[in-house]
Amino acid sequence: MQYGPAVRRRKLGSELRALRDRAGLTSGQAALRVGWHQSKVSRIETGRSSAKPADVRLLLDAYEVADTELRALLEALAGAADGDRGAGQQWWHAYKGLLPPAYRDFISLEAQACRLRTLETSVVPGLLQTPDYARAVTRASLDGLPEDQVDTLVEIRLARQDVLRGDPPLELSAVLDEAVLRRPIGGYGVMARQLRHLVEVGRELPHVRLQVLPFTVGAHIGLTGPFVIFSFPNIADLDVVVLDHLVSSLYLERKEDLQAYSEAFDSLGEHALAPDDSLEFIAGIGDGT
């Protein structure tokens, strides 16, 4: 378990090493092509040093990588792995003073991912929250925060939702414990509007798949807590599991961890209501039935 930037650095380095091998170059030969010392190439490939997006472009040129999507992903990963470097091109950089590094890294992963699978046991996923619901969650999570900072954090949460309407959009699959739908966060009026929003999004956006895990299922593997699985285009090895804690987030990258959580998500989907039935279930709660 490691924090996001360290995971990103090692994933990026591993992919760059594979591309160098594919190009038939030693690390020393690669260094000569880009005008570096061999040790810099080695440090980047092992994840001991960060790589700027410009560094990645130099290496990809040296390895004659023409795939534009792959190049864009690896350059974006360089920005995420290096924390703030390259963030000037990312909208969340404007909120650097307010957002902790772990949250900035999460947003960066979310912006780069092509698919997100999540189990939520307490609250509606951030990508699906209404403004009033997001405000109530923020106030409860960060008690005593000045109102102007609450406004900014809600603004950030709503800006994150643009990934669902991008080109291509993020594919979102969410399993929601029934408790998420029953807990009247912000009051019953706010919750009713939030439930209607879930139904609208689920029906309007074909790439958003919602499933409800009803109380009648009883015990299930998701009792251990919520999680998020990010998947990325072109490179399956970049998938990562994120576990949120009160003061930090942990990132799991080992293949056995990814397999365990993927299998857990599949199991939850099998026990949950089908998407159409789930939307009817959510609408029924919203109507008070």
Side-chain angles (χ1 to χ4, degrees):
M1 292 185 292
Q2 299 189 32
Y3 289 100
V7 173
R8 299 294 92 189
R9 283 198 303 271
R10 191 153 75 241
K11 292 289 191 181
L12 175 63
S14 176
E15 181 62 20
L16 289 172
R17 182 170 61 251
L19 291 171
R20 174 175 60 75
D21 289 341
R22 196 176 306 163
L25 298 174
T26 65
S27 58
Q29 290 170 331
L32 285 174
R33 286 197 178 189
V34 296
W36 297 345
H37 192 280
Q38 185 271 340
S39 62
K40 180 174 180 177
V41 175
S42 296
R43 289 196 305 271
I44 289 175
E45 290 184 351
T46 57
R48 294 198 304 270
S49 293
S50 299
K52 299 178 182 179
D55 294 335
V56 172
R57 285 193 292 273
L58 281 175
L59 291 172
L60 295 179
D61 288 343
Y63 305 155
E64 299 181 354
V65 176
D67 186 327
T68 56
E69 290 187 2
L70 177 58
R71 291 179 66 99
L73 175 62
L74 295 179
E75 289 175 28
L77 279 177
D82 201 20
D84 295 332
R85 293 183 183 178
Q89 300 175 1
Q90 302 161 344
W91 62 265
W92 54 91
H93 181 63
Y95 303 98
K96 175 183 175 182
L98 181 61
L99 298 180
Y103 190 22
R104 293 202 304 271
D105 195 58
F106 184 91
I107 296 174
S108 177
L109 293 177
E110 192 174 69
Q112 299 159 27
C114 63
R115 184 186 182 196
L116 186 157
R117 289 167 286 169
T118 183
L119 165 69
E120 288 292 352
T121 59
S122 300
V123 297
V124 170
L127 293 178
L128 301 173
Q129 293 179 6
T130 64
D132 289 340
Y133 185 95
R135 186 177 305 280
V137 170
T138 302
R139 283 174 175 162
S141 303
L142 300 169
D143 188 36
L145 196 68
E147 197 62 24
D148 60 332
Q149 293 188 25
V150 172
D151 291 341
T152 301
L153 289 173
V154 171
E155 179 182 314
I156 292 168
R157 184 156 301 184
L158 298 179
R160 285 171 46 201
Q161 298 176 4
D162 287 346
V163 295
L164 295 179
R165 300 180 184 276
D167 184 20
L170 175 70
E171 179 184 335
L172 172 63
S173 297
V175 173
L176 308 179
D177 190 278
E178 185 176 340
V180 172
L181 311 174
R182 298 287 185 184
R183 183 173 290 107
I185 291 178
Y188 288 98
V190 169
M191 197 64 204
R193 291 190 291 275
Q194 175 64 72
L195 294 176
R196 286 197 296 271
H197 179 68
L198 286 176
V199 174
E200 291 169 0
V201 172
R203 289 174 175 167
E204 177 188 350
L205 302 180
H207 51 279
V208 174
R209 178 186 175 91
L210 303 180
Q211 289 186 264
V212 174
L213 199 64
F215 290 147
T216 53
V217 168
H220 56 78
I221 196 169
L223 293 177
T224 54
F227 58 85
V228 176
I229 307 173
F230 286 113
S231 297
F232 300 88
N234 298 314
I235 311 173
D237 285 346
L238 291 176
D239 289 5
V240 62
V241 176
V242 183
L243 307 177
D244 271 339
H245 294 264
L246 183 62
V247 295
S248 65
S249 296
L250 292 173
Y251 295 71
L252 309 180
E253 61 164 337
R254 297 187 309 168
K255 289 184 178 180
E256 51 266 44
D257 293 330
L258 290 166
Q259 181 177 349
Y261 276 91
S262 293
E263 291 175 354
F265 187 83
D266 291 342
S267 175
L268 291 166
E270 292 173 1
H271 288 88
L273 299 176
D276 288 343
D277 294 336
S278 293
L279 294 180
E280 290 184 11
F281 188 89
I282 296 170
I285 295 177
D287 292 337
T289 59

